[in-house]
Amino acid sequence: MNFLAHIYLSFGDDEITIGNFIADSIRGNKYKHLPDRIQKGILLHREIDTYTDSHPVAKTSSKRLHKNYSHYSQVIVDIFYDHFLAKNWKQYSDIPLELFVENFYDLLKENVTILPEGTKRMIPYMISDNWLLNYAKMDGISRVLSGMNRRTNNRSKMNYAILDLEKDYDSFELEFTAFFKELEAFSKQKYISICEY
């Protein structure tokens, strides 16, 4: 659910952004009917996820949560990391977060016909509750975690992870900062190799 990071790591390229955003809704190679650069955005998303899941810093964050949340811990870390990206946005972009998010919502509306059905159903809630902007706030992250817990029929107990974030806030933020610098460099290189030909 780290939507903001994937959108940001599309480097302002509209079609790559759409692919990077919808990739979690696409299984296997069920994307071959989509425009070429949207396909490349999906591939970029998968490269980013593979890199993140194997990165030692992200693993450190995940390990801190594993006792309470088992295999959901990496999902929680993704959400935490989107919080730190939103909170510290000015360190990463000259475009104000409010404008960046508004432009993204406009992009979705302009391309709604090619989006997967699940994404189409999600977008009205995403926009009305302004998920991406609210990632910067603790109560916004708390709502995301509660929503994710409901999607697991309350099995994941992810709603309690906001307490873990509060308890180890500084450690998670330091880990995010160290990790994201490397992720950004990796993603830029992959963007060039996958998307620029």
Short mmCIF file of all heavy atoms in Angstrom, two decimals, residues 52-78 80-81 164 168 171-172 175-176:
data_model
loop_
_atom_site.label_atom_id
_atom_site.label_comp_id
_atom_site.label_asym_id
_atom_site.label_seq_id
_atom_site.Cartn_x
_atom_site.Cartn_y
_atom_site.Cartn_z
N THR A 52 13.01 -3.59 -2.35
CA THR A 52 12.60 -3.23 -0.99
C THR A 52 12.56 -4.46 -0.09
O THR A 52 13.07 -4.44 1.04
CB THR A 52 11.22 -2.54 -1.02
OG1 THR A 52 11.32 -1.35 -1.79
CG2 THR A 52 10.74 -2.20 0.39
N ASP A 53 11.95 -5.53 -0.58
CA ASP A 53 11.77 -6.73 0.25
C ASP A 53 13.10 -7.37 0.63
O ASP A 53 13.18 -8.08 1.65
CB ASP A 53 10.90 -7.75 -0.48
CG ASP A 53 9.45 -7.30 -0.60
OD1 ASP A 53 9.06 -6.34 0.11
OD2 ASP A 53 8.71 -7.90 -1.40
N SER A 54 14.14 -7.16 -0.18
CA SER A 54 15.43 -7.79 0.11
C SER A 54 16.43 -6.83 0.75
O SER A 54 17.55 -7.24 1.08
CB SER A 54 16.04 -8.34 -1.19
OG SER A 54 16.29 -7.28 -2.10
N HIS A 55 16.04 -5.58 0.96
CA HIS A 55 16.99 -4.60 1.47
C HIS A 55 17.18 -4.77 2.99
O HIS A 55 16.21 -4.89 3.73
CB HIS A 55 16.49 -3.18 1.18
CG HIS A 55 17.54 -2.13 1.34
ND1 HIS A 55 17.98 -1.68 2.57
CD2 HIS A 55 18.29 -1.46 0.42
CE1 HIS A 55 18.91 -0.77 2.39
NE2 HIS A 55 19.13 -0.62 1.10
N PRO A 56 18.43 -4.78 3.47
CA PRO A 56 18.66 -5.03 4.89
C PRO A 56 18.03 -4.00 5.82
O PRO A 56 17.61 -4.35 6.93
CB PRO A 56 20.20 -5.03 5.01
CG PRO A 56 20.72 -4.44 3.74
CD PRO A 56 19.69 -4.69 2.71
N VAL A 57 17.95 -2.75 5.41
CA VAL A 57 17.35 -1.73 6.29
C VAL A 57 15.84 -1.95 6.41
O VAL A 57 15.28 -1.91 7.51
CB VAL A 57 17.66 -0.31 5.78
CG1 VAL A 57 16.93 0.73 6.63
CG2 VAL A 57 19.17 -0.04 5.82
N ALA A 58 15.18 -2.20 5.28
CA ALA A 58 13.75 -2.49 5.32
C ALA A 58 13.48 -3.76 6.13
O ALA A 58 12.47 -3.85 6.86
CB ALA A 58 13.19 -2.63 3.91
N LYS A 59 14.38 -4.73 6.02
CA LYS A 59 14.24 -5.97 6.81
C LYS A 59 14.36 -5.68 8.31
O LYS A 59 13.68 -6.31 9.12
CB LYS A 59 15.29 -6.98 6.39
CG LYS A 59 14.97 -7.70 5.09
CD LYS A 59 16.02 -8.77 4.80
CE LYS A 59 15.61 -9.63 3.62
NZ LYS A 59 16.61 -10.68 3.33
N THR A 60 15.23 -4.75 8.67
CA THR A 60 15.37 -4.37 10.08
C THR A 60 14.07 -3.78 10.61
O THR A 60 13.62 -4.13 11.71
CB THR A 60 16.52 -3.35 10.24
OG1 THR A 60 17.75 -3.97 9.86
CG2 THR A 60 16.63 -2.87 11.69
N SER A 61 13.47 -2.89 9.83
CA SER A 61 12.17 -2.32 10.23
C SER A 61 11.13 -3.41 10.37
O SER A 61 10.35 -3.43 11.34
CB SER A 61 11.71 -1.29 9.20
OG SER A 61 12.54 -0.15 9.16
N SER A 62 11.09 -4.32 9.41
CA SER A 62 10.10 -5.39 9.41
C SER A 62 10.30 -6.34 10.59
O SER A 62 9.32 -6.77 11.23
CB SER A 62 10.19 -6.15 8.09
OG SER A 62 9.25 -7.19 8.04
N LYS A 63 11.55 -6.63 10.89
CA LYS A 63 11.85 -7.56 11.99
C LYS A 63 11.32 -7.04 13.32
O LYS A 63 10.87 -7.82 14.17
CB LYS A 63 13.36 -7.80 12.07
CG LYS A 63 13.77 -8.88 13.03
CD LYS A 63 15.26 -9.16 12.96
CE LYS A 63 15.66 -10.29 13.89
NZ LYS A 63 17.12 -10.55 13.84
N ARG A 64 11.35 -5.73 13.50
CA ARG A 64 10.87 -5.13 14.74
C ARG A 64 9.37 -5.41 14.94
O ARG A 64 8.88 -5.43 16.06
CB ARG A 64 11.13 -3.62 14.72
CG ARG A 64 10.88 -2.92 16.05
CD ARG A 64 11.19 -1.43 15.99
NE ARG A 64 12.59 -1.19 15.73
CZ ARG A 64 13.07 -0.60 14.62
NH1 ARG A 64 12.24 -0.20 13.67
NH2 ARG A 64 14.36 -0.43 14.47
N LEU A 65 8.65 -5.62 13.85
CA LEU A 65 7.20 -5.82 13.91
C LEU A 65 6.80 -7.28 13.82
O LEU A 65 5.63 -7.62 14.05
CB LEU A 65 6.55 -5.06 12.74
CG LEU A 65 6.73 -3.55 12.73
CD1 LEU A 65 6.35 -2.98 11.36
CD2 LEU A 65 5.89 -2.90 13.82
N HIS A 66 7.74 -8.15 13.46
CA HIS A 66 7.38 -9.51 13.06
C HIS A 66 6.71 -10.31 14.18
O HIS A 66 5.79 -11.10 13.93
CB HIS A 66 8.61 -10.26 12.55
CG HIS A 66 8.26 -11.47 11.75
ND1 HIS A 66 8.13 -12.72 12.32
CD2 HIS A 66 7.97 -11.62 10.43
CE1 HIS A 66 7.81 -13.60 11.39
NE2 HIS A 66 7.70 -12.96 10.23
N LYS A 67 7.13 -10.12 15.40
CA LYS A 67 6.57 -10.89 16.52
C LYS A 67 5.06 -10.69 16.63
O LYS A 67 4.31 -11.64 16.86
CB LYS A 67 7.24 -10.48 17.83
CG LYS A 67 6.72 -11.22 19.05
CD LYS A 67 7.39 -10.75 20.32
CE LYS A 67 6.79 -11.43 21.53
NZ LYS A 67 7.36 -10.90 22.80
N ASN A 68 4.61 -9.44 16.42
CA ASN A 68 3.19 -9.15 16.58
C ASN A 68 2.36 -9.31 15.31
O ASN A 68 1.15 -9.55 15.39
CB ASN A 68 3.01 -7.71 17.09
CG ASN A 68 3.48 -7.55 18.52
OD1 ASN A 68 3.46 -8.49 19.31
ND2 ASN A 68 3.94 -6.36 18.86
N TYR A 69 3.02 -9.19 14.14
CA TYR A 69 2.25 -9.11 12.89
C TYR A 69 2.67 -10.11 11.83
O TYR A 69 2.11 -10.13 10.74
CB TYR A 69 2.31 -7.69 12.32
CG TYR A 69 1.93 -6.65 13.34
CD1 TYR A 69 2.90 -5.90 13.99
CD2 TYR A 69 0.60 -6.46 13.69
CE1 TYR A 69 2.56 -4.97 14.95
CE2 TYR A 69 0.24 -5.53 14.66
CZ TYR A 69 1.22 -4.78 15.28
OH TYR A 69 0.88 -3.87 16.24
N SER A 70 3.65 -10.94 12.13
CA SER A 70 4.07 -12.02 11.25
C SER A 70 4.30 -11.51 9.83
O SER A 70 4.98 -10.52 9.62
CB SER A 70 3.03 -13.14 11.30
OG SER A 70 3.44 -14.25 10.57
N HIS A 71 3.68 -12.18 8.83
CA HIS A 71 3.95 -11.84 7.43
C HIS A 71 3.33 -10.51 7.01
O HIS A 71 3.58 -10.04 5.91
CB HIS A 71 3.47 -12.96 6.50
CG HIS A 71 2.00 -13.25 6.58
ND1 HIS A 71 1.44 -13.98 7.61
CD2 HIS A 71 0.97 -12.88 5.77
CE1 HIS A 71 0.14 -14.07 7.43
NE2 HIS A 71 -0.17 -13.41 6.31
N TYR A 72 2.54 -9.89 7.88
CA TYR A 72 2.00 -8.57 7.56
C TYR A 72 3.00 -7.46 7.88
O TYR A 72 2.75 -6.30 7.56
CB TYR A 72 0.71 -8.31 8.35
CG TYR A 72 -0.42 -9.23 7.99
CD1 TYR A 72 -0.83 -10.24 8.85
CD2 TYR A 72 -1.10 -9.09 6.77
CE1 TYR A 72 -1.87 -11.10 8.51
CE2 TYR A 72 -2.14 -9.94 6.43
CZ TYR A 72 -2.52 -10.94 7.31
OH TYR A 72 -3.56 -11.78 6.97
N SER A 73 4.11 -7.81 8.52
CA SER A 73 5.03 -6.77 8.99
C SER A 73 5.61 -5.94 7.85
O SER A 73 5.78 -4.72 7.99
CB SER A 73 6.15 -7.37 9.84
OG SER A 73 6.87 -8.35 9.13
N GLN A 74 5.89 -6.56 6.69
CA GLN A 74 6.45 -5.79 5.57
C GLN A 74 5.42 -4.82 5.00
O GLN A 74 5.76 -3.71 4.59
CB GLN A 74 6.97 -6.72 4.47
CG GLN A 74 7.68 -5.98 3.34
CD GLN A 74 8.85 -5.14 3.81
OE1 GLN A 74 9.78 -5.65 4.44
NE2 GLN A 74 8.82 -3.84 3.53
N VAL A 75 4.15 -5.24 4.98
CA VAL A 75 3.09 -4.34 4.52
C VAL A 75 3.01 -3.12 5.44
O VAL A 75 2.86 -1.98 4.97
CB VAL A 75 1.73 -5.07 4.49
CG1 VAL A 75 0.60 -4.13 4.10
CG2 VAL A 75 1.78 -6.27 3.56
N ILE A 76 3.12 -3.36 6.73
CA ILE A 76 3.08 -2.27 7.70
C ILE A 76 4.27 -1.33 7.49
O ILE A 76 4.11 -0.10 7.51
CB ILE A 76 3.06 -2.83 9.14
CG1 ILE A 76 1.77 -3.61 9.37
CG2 ILE A 76 3.19 -1.70 10.16
CD1 ILE A 76 1.77 -4.45 10.64
N VAL A 77 5.44 -1.88 7.26
CA VAL A 77 6.62 -1.05 7.01
C VAL A 77 6.40 -0.18 5.78
O VAL A 77 6.75 1.01 5.78
CB VAL A 77 7.89 -1.91 6.86
CG1 VAL A 77 9.07 -1.09 6.33
CG2 VAL A 77 8.25 -2.55 8.19
N ASP A 78 5.82 -0.74 4.72
CA ASP A 78 5.54 0.06 3.53
C ASP A 78 4.67 1.27 3.88
O ASP A 78 4.90 2.38 3.38
CB ASP A 78 4.81 -0.79 2.48
CG ASP A 78 5.72 -1.80 1.79
OD1 ASP A 78 6.95 -1.68 1.91
OD2 ASP A 78 5.18 -2.70 1.13
N PHE A 80 4.33 2.68 6.93
CA PHE A 80 5.15 3.58 7.74
C PHE A 80 6.07 4.43 6.87
O PHE A 80 6.21 5.64 7.07
CB PHE A 80 6.01 2.79 8.73
CG PHE A 80 5.29 2.18 9.90
CD1 PHE A 80 3.90 2.28 10.04
CD2 PHE A 80 5.99 1.47 10.86
CE1 PHE A 80 3.25 1.71 11.13
CE2 PHE A 80 5.36 0.90 11.94
CZ PHE A 80 3.98 1.01 12.08
N TYR A 81 6.69 3.79 5.88
CA TYR A 81 7.64 4.51 5.03
C TYR A 81 6.92 5.57 4.18
O TYR A 81 7.48 6.65 3.94
CB TYR A 81 8.41 3.53 4.14
CG TYR A 81 9.54 2.81 4.85
CD1 TYR A 81 9.73 2.89 6.23
CD2 TYR A 81 10.43 2.02 4.13
CE1 TYR A 81 10.77 2.22 6.86
CE2 TYR A 81 11.49 1.35 4.75
CZ TYR A 81 11.65 1.45 6.12
OH TYR A 81 12.69 0.80 6.74
N ASP A 164 3.10 0.72 17.66
CA ASP A 164 4.49 0.40 17.40
C ASP A 164 5.20 1.57 16.73
O ASP A 164 6.37 1.85 17.03
CB ASP A 164 4.59 -0.84 16.50
CG ASP A 164 4.00 -2.07 17.15
OD1 ASP A 164 2.78 -2.28 17.04
OD2 ASP A 164 4.75 -2.82 17.79
N ASP A 168 8.47 3.39 18.48
CA ASP A 168 9.79 3.34 17.85
C ASP A 168 9.90 4.33 16.69
O ASP A 168 10.57 4.06 15.69
CB ASP A 168 10.08 1.91 17.35
CG ASP A 168 10.24 0.93 18.50
OD1 ASP A 168 11.00 1.23 19.43
OD2 ASP A 168 9.59 -0.13 18.46
N SER A 171 13.42 5.42 15.38
CA SER A 171 14.14 4.33 14.73
C SER A 171 13.59 4.07 13.32
O SER A 171 14.35 3.93 12.36
CB SER A 171 14.05 3.04 15.55
OG SER A 171 14.68 3.21 16.80
N PHE A 172 12.26 4.02 13.20
CA PHE A 172 11.66 3.82 11.88
C PHE A 172 12.02 4.97 10.93
O PHE A 172 12.31 4.74 9.75
CB PHE A 172 10.14 3.70 11.99
CG PHE A 172 9.66 2.35 12.47
CD1 PHE A 172 8.93 2.24 13.64
CD2 PHE A 172 9.92 1.20 11.74
CE1 PHE A 172 8.48 1.00 14.09
CE2 PHE A 172 9.47 -0.05 12.17
CZ PHE A 172 8.75 -0.15 13.35
N GLU A 175 15.61 4.65 9.74
CA GLU A 175 15.71 3.56 8.77
C GLU A 175 15.12 3.96 7.42
O GLU A 175 15.72 3.70 6.37
CB GLU A 175 15.01 2.31 9.33
CG GLU A 175 15.81 1.66 10.44
CD GLU A 175 15.00 0.82 11.41
OE1 GLU A 175 13.78 0.61 11.16
OE2 GLU A 175 15.57 0.37 12.42
N PHE A 176 13.97 4.63 7.46
CA PHE A 176 13.39 5.11 6.20
C PHE A 176 14.36 6.02 5.47
O PHE A 176 14.58 5.87 4.26
CB PHE A 176 12.08 5.86 6.45
CG PHE A 176 11.67 6.69 5.26
CD1 PHE A 176 11.09 6.10 4.16
CD2 PHE A 176 11.95 8.05 5.23
CE1 PHE A 176 10.77 6.85 3.04
CE2 PHE A 176 11.62 8.81 4.11
CZ PHE A 176 11.03 8.21 3.01
#
